[in-house]
Amino acid sequence: MGLQDKYAKLIAYAKTSNVQNLNVSESNNVLTVSGVSTAAVKDQLWTIYEGIDPEMRSGDLVLNIDAVPGGEEIYEVKSGDSLSKIAGKYPGMTWQKIFDANKDILKDPNVIHPGQKLKIPL
């Protein structure tokens, strides 16, 4: 198994989260992932890394993501989601912030539907 295979989930998340200037390179048995994104995406990349290498002992990944303030991420509502559950996926986020950012499509914070695309302010 190559390093890009080992860290496929992390690389896929970086790509789908629109990490700017994303660069994935492998040299001397070390995978380097670099780019620019929001702090929330950076935190999620570290969480994914911790899931792959819980004690972070492999020493085979360099994660160099610069965080920029602001922006938003789009989240697609899944069955069983609530604004509180969605907020729990983003450090420092609350259901109220998500509701406020989506008042154009949400009338009641207790009513969301699978497939809706919600803005997550970062």
Side-chain angles (χ1 to χ4, degrees):
M1 171 194 285
L3 291 176
Q4 291 199 28
D5 293 328
K6 178 179 178 181
Y7 293 108
K9 183 177 178 182
L10 185 141
I11 294 167
Y13 181 79
K15 288 178 180 177
T16 60
S17 298
N18 296 319
V19 172
Q20 301 299 306
N21 303 319
L22 179 63
N23 184 24
V24 179
S25 61
E26 190 172 338
S27 178
N28 298 324
N29 296 320
V30 175
L31 184 69
T32 301
V33 178
S34 60
V36 178
S37 192
T38 62
V41 169
K42 181 178 180 175
D43 288 344
Q44 185 60 32
L45 287 168
W46 279 107
T47 299
I48 293 168
Y49 173 48
E50 187 176 14
I52 296 168
D53 185 6
E55 295 183 14
M56 298 182 185
R57 291 186 181 199
S58 295
D60 59 0
L61 177 74
V62 174
L63 189 55
N64 186 17
I65 304 294
D66 293 325
V68 295
E72 67 183 34
E73 186 173 316
I74 303 298
Y75 178 86
E76 186 171 340
V77 177
K78 295 167 190 58
S79 181
D81 276 344
S82 67
L83 292 183
S84 294
K85 184 175 178 183
I86 295 167
K89 299 176 184 208
Y90 299 90
M93 185 56 56
T94 65
W95 71 264
Q96 294 96 334
K97 290 179 186 176
I98 297 172
F99 180 68
D100 288 343
N102 291 281
K103 283 190 174 180
D104 57 330
I105 59 170
L106 299 178
K107 303 303 174 216
D108 181 340
N110 297 310
V111 180
I112 59 175
H113 304 284
Q116 279 183 309
K117 294 188 183 337
L118 301 179
K119 296 175 284 226
I120 309 297
L122 304 173

